[in-house]
């Protein structure tokens, strides 16, 4: 009688929620699977939008929105979808020209909820001044889409004189932040988990293209722009530090964390620097243009609370350092995975 050894069991790798969080797992997925599969350049900077091949002024961006719940204090999935794509175009120095809107709805979704989301998207697009020119609608079976997913693609045209990139930050650059951090992620989570912060925290979702247009007179001094969405300020700063091979140093005392956001993060054990935002941006600006850039941001309501939060140093690159209130220095690392799933 003979026996055969069974084949060794190998655990198959699977997609995790953290792969969509904008942190280290996302970067690994892009480097190891997505870019090799589609023939992308693994050494290219990770930008919010891409320049259309053959053009120096047209920019394209696409994004999918899977937020839960569909509506939250300060916004909903419809306005968020429009603002998110408009802002990704703006971070490459472009104003929106046209949008597409694709709907993936789950069987059983109340038509009133679908209508509300689409009306909100239409109002947001109208307020920005960008038409929705095409789209698609799909319906999937119960349990396959958790209600409603939206995808938006945007075409934009670069503002003359502006060509920001995640790879253009330079030693000496001043880092400006247009407003408070942590509002969107904590607003969504408060509603979802019933934390009771709804009266104090509302999402900051809004378009940022006017702020970028206000920076146009600063021209070449504007080196890099980024809206700190998934992964928050920590992810956005680490991405620019990595792609520009610089060290970013920020001041803890300069970071605008609203008191209700700080309280919610303390309750949940979260770092406000890793919580998603949808209505603020960071700008890396050459020292001789920083004063003018800050004044330009503060000239608009959405940038009224803009402030300087740090600078780029000449130290070895690829790091983000926080100078704490007690004078110590600590590394701010790229978040690993998903702390707050389904927030955008």
């Amino acid at each position: 009688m003979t026996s055969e050894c069974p084949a060794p069991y190998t655990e198959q790798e699977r997609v995790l929620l953290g792969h969509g969080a904008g942190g280290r797992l996302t970067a690994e997925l892009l480097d190891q699977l997505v870019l090799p599969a589609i023939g992308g350049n693994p050494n290219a900077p990770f930008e919010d939008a891409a320049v259309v091949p053959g053009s120096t002024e047209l920019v394209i961006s696409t994004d999918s929105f899977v937020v839960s719940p569909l509506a939250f204090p300060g916004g909903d999935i419809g306005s968020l979808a429009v603002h998110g794509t408009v802002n990704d175009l703006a971070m490459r120095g472009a104003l929106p020209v046209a949008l597409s809107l694709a709907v993936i709805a789950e069987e059983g979704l109340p038509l009133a909820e679908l209508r509300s989301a689409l009306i909100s998207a239409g109002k947001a697009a109208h307020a920005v001044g960008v038409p929705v020119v095409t789209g698609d609608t799909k319906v999937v079976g119960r349990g396959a889409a958790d209600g409603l997913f939206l995808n938006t693609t945007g075409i934009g045209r670069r503002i003359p004189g502006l060509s920001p990139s995640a790879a253009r930050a330079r030693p000496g650059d001043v880092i400006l932040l247009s407003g408070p951090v942590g509002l969107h992620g904590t607003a969504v989570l408060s509603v979802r988990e019933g934390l009771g912060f709804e009266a104090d925290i509302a999402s900051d979702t809004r378009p940022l293209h006017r702020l970028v247009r206000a920076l146009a007179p600063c021209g070449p001094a504007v080196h890099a722009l980024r809206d700190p969405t998934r992964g928050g300020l920590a992810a956005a700063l680490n991405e620019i530090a990595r792609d520009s091979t610089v060290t970013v140093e920020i001041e803890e005392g300069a970071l605008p964390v609203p008191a209700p956001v700080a309280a919610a993060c303390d309750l949940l054990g979260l770092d406000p620097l890793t919580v998603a935002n949808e209505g603020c941006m960071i700008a890396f600006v050459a020292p001789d243009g920083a004063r003018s850039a800050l004044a330009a941001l503060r000239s608009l309501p959405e940038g009224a609370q803009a402030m300087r939060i740090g600078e780029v140093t000449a130290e070895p690159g690829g790091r983000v350092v926080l100078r704490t209130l007690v004078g110590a220095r600590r590394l701010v690392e790229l978040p690993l995975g998903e702390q707050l799933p389904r927030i955008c």
Side-chain angles (χ1 to χ4, degrees):
M1 179 177 180
T2 62
S3 62
E4 296 181 0
C5 292
Y9 174 76
T10 302
E11 176 67 28
Q12 186 177 20
E13 292 183 297
R14 300 179 185 276
V15 174
L16 305 174
L17 269 177
H19 282 122
R24 277 182 283 165
L25 287 177
T26 301
E28 290 176 5
L29 186 69
L30 291 172
D31 286 339
Q32 299 172 14
L33 193 155
V34 176
L35 293 175
I38 64 175
N41 180 2
N43 298 316
F46 289 169
E47 306 280 13
D48 283 335
V51 177
V52 176
S55 171
T56 58
E57 65 172 13
L58 291 181
V59 174
I60 186 169
S61 182
T62 191
D63 206 345
S64 297
F65 296 85
V66 297
V67 64
S68 176
L70 298 178
F72 43 84
D76 60 22
I77 192 172
S79 59
L80 184 66
V82 171
H83 294 162
T85 295
V86 167
N87 292 347
D88 282 348
L89 294 172
M91 296 307 104
R92 295 306 306 276
L95 298 179
V97 173
L99 294 179
S100 74
L101 175 63
V103 174
I104 300 176
E106 180 186 354
E107 178 188 14
L109 176 73
L111 286 176
E113 292 187 26
L114 177 59
R115 182 179 296 110
S116 177
L118 294 181
I119 288 175
S120 179
K123 288 181 177 179
H126 179 76
V128 169
V130 59
V132 178
V133 297
T134 189
D136 183 47
T137 301
K138 293 291 190 297
V139 177
V140 297
R142 292 178 184 270
D146 197 12
L148 178 66
F149 298 160
L150 295 181
N151 172 275
T152 44
T153 297
I155 298 290
R157 181 174 288 110
R158 269 185 161 170
I159 301 168
L162 285 181
S163 56
S165 167
R168 289 194 59 218
R170 296 291 180 265
D173 280 357
V174 173
I175 305 169
L176 306 178
L177 176 66
S178 69
V181 296
L183 290 167
H184 176 72
T186 49
V188 172
L189 191 64
S190 182
V191 176
R192 185 191 305 166
E193 304 298 336
L195 300 180
F197 287 99
E198 294 90 336
D200 302 314
I201 304 175
S203 170
D204 61 343
T205 178
R206 57 186 166 190
L208 299 170
H209 64 298
R210 295 202 316 154
L211 284 178
V212 174
R213 185 167 55 195
L215 292 175
C218 301
V222 180
H223 291 163
L225 300 173
R226 185 60 60 95
D227 59 330
T229 53
R230 295 178 304 170
L233 195 60
L237 292 174
N238 269 283
E239 289 163 358
I240 292 176
R242 176 196 63 209
D243 290 338
S244 295
T245 321
V246 297
T247 291
V248 170
E249 196 160 301
I250 57 174
E251 295 277 357
E252 184 178 21
L255 296 175
V257 181
V261 169
C265 288
D266 285 344
L267 178 66
L268 297 166
L270 299 175
D271 182 347
L273 294 182
T274 66
V275 177
N277 312 275
E278 292 291 346
C280 66
M281 71 177 193
I282 49 177
F284 286 64
V285 184
D288 57 357
R291 186 185 297 272
S292 297
L294 184 58
L297 295 177
R298 288 176 173 173
S299 70
L300 295 172
E302 54 266 47
Q305 299 181 65
M307 65 211 69
R308 173 176 176 156
I309 63 168
E311 63 278 330
V312 177
T313 74
E315 296 181 23
R319 302 189 307 162
V320 178
V321 177
L322 177 73
R323 291 197 294 264
T324 68
L325 293 174
V326 296
R329 299 168 85 245
R330 72 169 178 89
L331 286 179
V332 178
E333 296 185 349
L334 187 68
L336 174 62
E338 191 76 86
Q339 287 186 308
L340 303 175
R342 305 287 307 280
I343 45 79
C344 61

